[in-house]
Amino acid sequence: MTATIAAPDSPPRALPRTLSRTPPWAAITAGIVAYAIALTGSGAATLNGDELATLSSARRDLPGLWELAQHIDGHFLPYYLFMHFWTKLGEAEIWLRLPSALAIGVAAAFLVSLGRRLHGLTAGLTAAALFAVLPSVSYYGAFARSYAFAAAAVTISFWCLHRATCLHPATRLHRARWVQYAVSVAFIGCTHLFAVLVLPAHLALLRRSTRNMVLAMAAGFVPAAALGLIGYGERHAISWIPQRGPEVLLKFPKMAAGATEIGLLLFAAALAGAVLMVRRDTRWGPALIGWLALPPVLLLAVSHLVTPAYVDRYLFVTAPALALLAAIAVAEVPRFAIPAAVALTLAAGALAVPQHLEIREPNGRFEDVPWALRRMKLEPGDAIVYGQSSLRTGFDYYAKAVMPDDVLLEGTAPAPDSFAYPEKGDVAAALEGRDRVWLVWRGAKDEKLPAIEKVRQAGFDRAQAWHSADTPGLTVSLYKRKADLP
């Protein structure tokens, strides 16, 4: 009996049901809903220091941006370039945050399609719904930084990887899909340097298309490598980050979800989903687990091997994986998948209500500059001194009336190599003839800052002080000359 051997270029078999095309209405609707929820995350919350750093960067001309990138935030250069052109059309809070909300919508749309391809439409829609109700999504979806872009880029990369690996090598579009995957990897590196920590999870698919995948990943990794070298030379910019121990991983559910209660609920569901997914697909199960679990572990390793870098916002890229694995768990419930999905989404949303309300408050980003401005009851001749000179960007942005005299400022623009502003060194001389000076700084009332000590040495004592109550918050303090104090 002669064995029959199939020709190597025989046509591929029909795709299984889960690989059929996602209904456009499903992805579009999920994207619009997630976008709308994220956009409302702005609420009344004012821009914080990181967002004002984006604004400061975007206001510079292109040579100025390049000069800044050579000293600080070089790995943010692609995002700053985008925002440079975006802000040509406006600088309102909602406009600055709109790109992040759009990125959240894109992430949700691709999450529907990825869930559909891996399991089914119920899993895809549930993943997008769970993703949308996360407090972290409302926070970073209304945040003028690149973290929402990073989450979208990572989701797109997994979607592109699935499309590339499920296609028969003899198919005409096979090479084009690996090019798409390479572009998606490059997009990850351009959004945030630490977003590339998800890429090792892609290696779970190596057994399927080793050569093509390695070449595509290597090509796509070039921007991340270049920006990584820049970031390594500027690691002093994150010297403020404390060193963390392994115990910080216990807080990861809260960091990914944005709140402890919803984080624990979804992580329990995601654990069940991970087990079910591994049983269903021995390649994609580990890939999804790696998407969720590897970034915090690898970021902690970077913190100990290179420089302290463990910050919760660097891990937002894991939020789509958390939602997807939890969705797969409920989608596996026999006969009651849809009721289980609705129940889990409603429970998650209910648990997250307090955090959703909190991040939409005026101090939802923990730096309420308008509040600080309202605290200042000005008199003619009042001066202002900033504990951190970069705070000027926020006070100039929100000031609607006359401000105290900025007696230390030299020039009108921030320094070319940082977000700080050039200042006069002799505080006493700058305050000569002044009887009242307002000090504002980021931090608590008892913060020890050089600016505070210099004002005291110039003959002033604190008369009143207010703090915005949240950490780090803002402190507003009125100092008067000692002779004028009662």
Side-chain angles (χ1 to χ4, degrees), residues 2-52:
T2 306
T4 302
I5 302 176
D9 56 350
S10 57
R13 292 176 295 175
L15 292 175
R17 181 180 59 86
T18 56
L19 296 188
S20 58
R21 184 179 297 274
T22 302
W25 64 264
I28 293 173
T29 302
I32 292 174
V33 171
Y35 156 77
I37 294 175
L39 191 62
T40 64
S42 180
T46 57
L47 301 175
N48 75 357
D50 284 341
E51 295 178 285
L52 291 167

Coordinates of all heavy atoms in Angstrom, one line a residue, residues 2-52:
T2 N 0.7 2.1 -0.9 CA 1.5 3.3 -1.1 C 1.0 4.5 -0.3 O -0.2 4.8 -0.4 CB 1.7 3.7 -2.6 OG1 2.1 2.6 -3.3 CG2 2.6 4.8 -2.7
A3 N 1.8 5.1 0.5 CA 1.4 6.3 1.3 C 1.2 7.5 0.4 O 2.0 7.7 -0.6 CB 2.4 6.6 2.4
T4 N 0.2 8.2 0.6 CA -0.1 9.5 -0.1 C 0.5 10.7 0.6 O 0.2 10.9 1.7 CB -1.6 9.6 -0.3 OG1 -2.1 8.5 -1.0 CG2 -1.9 10.9 -1.2
I5 N 1.3 11.4 -0.1 CA 1.9 12.6 0.5 C 1.4 13.8 -0.2 O 1.4 14.0 -1.4 CB 3.5 12.6 0.3 CG1 4.0 11.3 0.9 CG2 4.1 13.8 0.9 CD1 5.5 11.1 0.8
A6 N 0.8 14.8 0.6 CA 0.2 16.0 0.1 C 1.3 16.9 -0.5 O 2.4 16.9 0.0 CB -0.5 16.7 1.2
A7 N 1.0 17.6 -1.5 CA 1.9 18.5 -2.1 C 2.2 19.6 -1.1 O 1.3 20.1 -0.4 CB 1.4 19.1 -3.4
P8 N 3.5 20.1 -1.0 CA 3.8 21.1 -0.1 C 3.1 22.4 -0.3 O 2.9 23.2 0.6 CB 5.3 21.3 -0.2 CG 5.6 20.8 -1.6 CD 4.6 19.7 -1.9
D9 N 2.6 22.7 -1.5 CA 2.0 23.9 -1.8 C 0.5 23.8 -2.0 O -0.2 24.5 -2.7 CB 2.6 24.7 -3.0 CG 2.5 23.8 -4.3 OD1 2.2 22.6 -4.1 OD2 2.8 24.3 -5.4
S10 N -0.1 22.7 -1.4 CA -1.5 22.5 -1.5 C -2.2 23.6 -0.8 O -1.7 24.2 0.2 CB -1.9 21.1 -0.9 OG -1.4 21.1 0.5
P11 N -3.4 23.9 -1.2 CA -4.2 25.0 -0.7 C -4.5 24.8 0.8 O -4.7 23.6 1.2 CB -5.4 25.1 -1.5 CG -5.6 23.7 -2.1 CD -4.2 23.2 -2.3
P12 N -4.6 25.8 1.6 CA -4.9 25.6 3.0 C -6.3 25.2 3.2 O -7.2 25.4 2.4 CB -4.7 27.1 3.6 CG -4.9 28.0 2.4 CD -4.4 27.2 1.2
R13 N -6.5 24.5 4.3 CA -7.9 24.1 4.7 C -8.7 25.3 5.1 O -8.2 26.3 5.4 CB -7.8 23.1 5.8 CG -7.2 21.8 5.5 CD -7.1 20.9 6.7 NE -6.2 21.4 7.7 CZ -6.0 20.9 8.9 NH1 -6.6 19.8 9.2 NH2 -5.1 21.4 9.7
A14 N -10.0 25.1 5.1 CA -10.9 26.2 5.5 C -10.6 26.6 6.9 O -10.3 25.8 7.8 CB -12.4 25.8 5.3
L15 N -10.7 27.9 7.2 CA -10.5 28.4 8.5 C -11.6 27.9 9.5 O -12.7 27.8 9.1 CB -10.4 29.9 8.5 CG -9.2 30.6 7.8 CD1 -9.4 32.1 7.8 CD2 -7.9 30.2 8.4
P16 N -11.2 27.6 10.7 CA -12.3 27.3 11.7 C -13.2 28.5 11.9 O -12.9 29.6 11.6 CB -11.5 27.0 13.0 CG -10.1 27.5 12.7 CD -9.9 27.6 11.3
R17 N -14.3 28.2 12.5 CA -15.3 29.2 12.7 C -14.8 30.5 13.5 O -15.1 31.6 13.1 CB -16.5 28.6 13.5 CG -17.6 29.6 13.8 CD -18.7 29.0 14.6 NE -18.2 28.5 15.9 CZ -18.2 29.3 16.9 NH1 -18.5 30.5 16.9 NH2 -17.7 28.8 18.1
T18 N -13.9 30.3 14.4 CA -13.4 31.4 15.2 C -12.5 32.3 14.4 O -12.2 33.4 14.9 CB -12.6 30.9 16.4 OG1 -11.6 30.0 16.0 CG2 -13.5 30.2 17.4
L19 N -12.1 31.9 13.2 CA -11.2 32.8 12.4 C -12.0 33.5 11.4 O -11.4 34.2 10.6 CB -10.1 31.9 11.8 CG -9.1 31.3 12.8 CD1 -8.0 30.7 12.0 CD2 -8.6 32.2 13.8
S20 N -13.3 33.3 11.3 CA -14.0 34.0 10.3 C -14.1 35.5 10.6 O -13.8 35.9 11.7 CB -15.5 33.4 10.2 OG -16.1 33.5 11.5
R21 N -14.4 36.3 9.7 CA -14.4 37.7 9.8 C -15.3 38.2 10.9 O -16.4 37.9 11.1 CB -14.8 38.4 8.5 CG -14.6 39.9 8.5 CD -15.0 40.5 7.2 NE -14.1 40.0 6.1 CZ -13.0 40.6 5.8 NH1 -12.5 41.6 6.5 NH2 -12.2 40.1 4.8
T22 N -14.7 39.1 11.7 CA -15.5 39.8 12.8 C -16.5 40.7 12.2 O -16.2 41.5 11.3 CB -14.6 40.5 13.8 OG1 -13.6 39.7 14.3 CG2 -15.4 41.2 14.9
P23 N -17.8 40.6 12.6 CA -18.8 41.6 12.1 C -18.3 43.0 12.4 O -18.0 43.4 13.5 CB -20.0 41.2 12.9 CG -19.8 39.8 13.4 CD -18.3 39.7 13.6
P24 N -18.3 43.8 11.3 CA -17.8 45.2 11.5 C -18.6 46.0 12.6 O -18.0 46.8 13.3 CB -18.1 45.8 10.1 CG -18.0 44.7 9.2 CD -18.7 43.5 9.9
W25 N -19.9 45.7 12.7 CA -20.7 46.4 13.7 C -20.2 46.2 15.1 O -20.2 47.0 16.0 CB -22.2 46.0 13.6 CG -22.4 44.6 14.0 CD1 -22.6 43.6 13.1 CD2 -22.6 44.0 15.3 NE1 -22.8 42.4 13.8 CE2 -22.8 42.7 15.1 CE3 -22.6 44.6 16.6 CZ2 -23.0 41.8 16.2 CZ3 -22.8 43.7 17.7 CH2 -23.0 42.4 17.5
A26 N -19.7 44.9 15.4 CA -19.2 44.6 16.7 C -18.0 45.4 17.1 O -17.9 46.0 18.2 CB -18.9 43.1 16.8
A27 N -17.0 45.4 16.2 CA -15.7 46.1 16.5 C -16.0 47.6 16.6 O -15.5 48.3 17.5 CB -14.7 45.8 15.5
I28 N -16.8 48.1 15.6 CA -17.0 49.6 15.6 C -17.8 50.0 16.8 O -17.4 51.1 17.5 CB -17.7 50.0 14.3 CG1 -16.8 49.7 13.1 CG2 -18.2 51.4 14.3 CD1 -17.5 49.9 11.7
T29 N -18.8 49.3 17.2 CA -19.6 49.7 18.3 C -18.8 49.6 19.6 O -18.8 50.5 20.4 CB -20.8 48.7 18.5 OG1 -21.6 48.8 17.3 CG2 -21.7 49.1 19.7
A30 N -18.0 48.6 19.8 CA -17.1 48.5 21.0 C -16.1 49.6 21.0 O -15.9 50.2 22.1 CB -16.4 47.1 21.0
G31 N -15.6 49.9 19.9 CA -14.6 51.0 19.8 C -15.2 52.3 20.2 O -14.6 53.1 21.0
I32 N -16.4 52.6 19.7 CA -17.1 53.9 20.0 C -17.5 54.0 21.5 O -17.3 55.0 22.1 CB -18.4 54.0 19.1 CG1 -17.9 54.2 17.7 CG2 -19.2 55.2 19.6 CD1 -19.1 54.3 16.7
V33 N -18.0 52.9 22.0 CA -18.4 52.9 23.5 C -17.2 53.1 24.3 O -17.2 53.9 25.3 CB -19.1 51.6 23.8 CG1 -19.3 51.5 25.3 CG2 -20.4 51.5 23.1
A34 N -16.1 52.4 24.1 CA -14.9 52.5 24.9 C -14.3 53.9 24.7 O -13.8 54.5 25.7 CB -13.8 51.5 24.5
Y35 N -14.3 54.4 23.5 CA -13.8 55.8 23.3 C -14.7 56.8 24.1 O -14.1 57.7 24.8 CB -13.9 56.1 21.8 CG -14.0 57.6 21.5 CD1 -12.9 58.4 21.6 CD2 -15.2 58.2 21.1 CE1 -13.0 59.8 21.3 CE2 -15.3 59.5 20.9 CZ -14.2 60.3 20.9 OH -14.3 61.7 20.7
A36 N -16.0 56.7 24.1 CA -16.9 57.6 24.8 C -16.6 57.5 26.3 O -16.6 58.6 27.0 CB -18.3 57.3 24.5
I37 N -16.5 56.3 26.9 CA -16.2 56.2 28.3 C -14.9 56.8 28.7 O -14.8 57.5 29.7 CB -16.3 54.7 28.7 CG1 -17.7 54.1 28.5 CG2 -15.8 54.5 30.1 CD1 -17.9 52.7 28.8
A38 N -13.9 56.5 27.8 CA -12.6 57.1 28.1 C -12.6 58.6 28.0 O -11.9 59.3 28.9 CB -11.5 56.5 27.1
L39 N -13.3 59.1 27.1 CA -13.3 60.6 26.9 C -13.9 61.3 28.1 O -13.5 62.3 28.6 CB -14.0 61.0 25.6 CG -13.9 62.4 25.2 CD1 -12.5 62.8 24.9 CD2 -14.8 62.7 24.0
T40 N -15.0 60.6 28.7 CA -15.6 61.2 29.9 C -14.7 61.1 31.1 O -15.0 61.7 32.1 CB -17.0 60.5 30.2 OG1 -16.7 59.1 30.5 CG2 -17.9 60.6 29.0
G41 N -13.7 60.2 31.0 CA -12.7 60.1 32.1 C -12.0 61.4 32.4 O -11.5 61.6 33.5
S42 N -12.0 62.3 31.4 CA -11.4 63.7 31.7 C -12.2 64.4 32.8 O -11.6 64.9 33.7 CB -11.4 64.5 30.4 OG -10.9 65.8 30.6
G43 N -13.6 64.3 32.7 CA -14.4 64.9 33.7 C -14.0 66.3 34.0 O -13.8 67.1 33.1
A44 N -13.9 66.7 35.3 CA -13.4 68.0 35.7 C -11.9 68.0 36.0 O -11.4 69.0 36.5 CB -14.2 68.5 36.9
A45 N -11.3 66.8 35.8 CA -9.9 66.7 36.3 C -9.0 67.5 35.5 O -9.0 67.6 34.2 CB -9.4 65.2 36.1
T46 N -8.1 68.3 36.1 CA -7.2 69.2 35.5 C -5.9 68.4 35.1 O -5.6 67.3 35.5 CB -6.8 70.3 36.4 OG1 -6.3 69.8 37.6 CG2 -8.0 71.2 36.7
L47 N -5.2 69.0 34.2 CA -3.9 68.4 33.7 C -2.9 68.3 34.9 O -2.8 69.2 35.7 CB -3.3 69.3 32.6 CG -4.1 69.5 31.3 CD1 -3.4 70.5 30.4 CD2 -4.4 68.2 30.6
N48 N -2.2 67.2 34.9 CA -1.2 67.1 35.9 C 0.2 67.3 35.3 O 0.4 67.7 34.1 CB -1.2 65.7 36.6 CG -0.7 64.6 35.8 OD1 -0.3 64.8 34.6 ND2 -0.7 63.4 36.4
G49 N 1.3 67.1 36.1 CA 2.6 67.5 35.7 C 3.1 66.7 34.5 O 3.7 67.3 33.6
D50 N 2.7 65.5 34.4 CA 3.1 64.7 33.2 C 2.5 65.2 31.9 O 3.1 65.3 30.9 CB 2.8 63.2 33.4 CG 3.8 62.5 34.3 OD1 4.9 63.1 34.5 OD2 3.4 61.5 34.8
E51 N 1.2 65.5 32.0 CA 0.5 66.1 30.9 C 1.0 67.4 30.5 O 1.1 67.8 29.3 CB -1.0 66.1 31.2 CG -1.7 64.8 31.4 CD -3.1 64.8 31.8 OE1 -3.4 65.2 32.9 OE2 -4.0 64.6 30.9
L52 N 1.3 68.2 31.5 CA 1.9 69.6 31.2 C 3.3 69.4 30.6 O 3.7 70.3 29.8 CB 1.9 70.4 32.5 CG 0.5 70.8 33.0 CD1 0.6 71.3 34.4 CD2 -0.1 71.8 32.1

